[in-house]
């Protein structure tokens, strides 16, 4: 039996430390996120699929369910190299 993924994660800005609770999409990656604290564009660390896997308190739903990263689709700009 597969447990339901956690859909809320606290993003912490690597630029200013601002924290915001965000709802994660279940069918796409969020590659970019504008920090509401400083306005900087947050991006994933190299090797991570999305900002939640890099800067969130909880990784994205596909990673939580061990399905790989975000099903190969993206939201807001695509994966690295696109």
């Amino acid at each position: 039996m597969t447990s339901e993924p956690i859909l809320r994660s606290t993003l912490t800005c690597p630029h200013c430390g601002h924290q915001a609770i965000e709802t994660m999409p279940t069918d796409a990656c969020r590659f970019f996120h504008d920090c509401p604290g400083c306005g900087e564009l947050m991006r994933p660390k190299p090797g991570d699929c999305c900002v939640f896997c890099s800067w969130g308190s909880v990784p994205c739903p596909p990673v939580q369910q061990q399905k790989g990263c975000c099903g190969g689709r993206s939201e807001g700009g695509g994966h690295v190299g696109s």
Side-chain angles (χ1 to χ4, degrees), residues 9-12 20 24 42 50-59:
S9 182
T10 301
L11 283 177
T12 302
M24 296 181 280
M42 296 167 59
C50 64
V51 293
F52 292 106
C53 287
S54 292
W55 311 112
S57 59
V58 177

Side-chain angles (χ1 to χ4, degrees), residues 5-7 23-32 44 47-54 58-76 78-80:
I6 298 167
L7 299 179
T23 301
M24 296 181 280
T26 57
D27 61 350
C29 285
R30 183 168 301 156
F31 190 72
F32 298 114
D48 283 348
C49 64
C50 64
V51 293
F52 292 106
C53 287
S54 292
V58 177
C60 68
V63 169
Q64 289 178 52
Q65 295 179 312
Q66 300 176 356
K67 293 181 179 178
C69 176
C70 302
R73 298 194 320 228
S74 63
E75 171 188 297
H79 287 81
V80 175

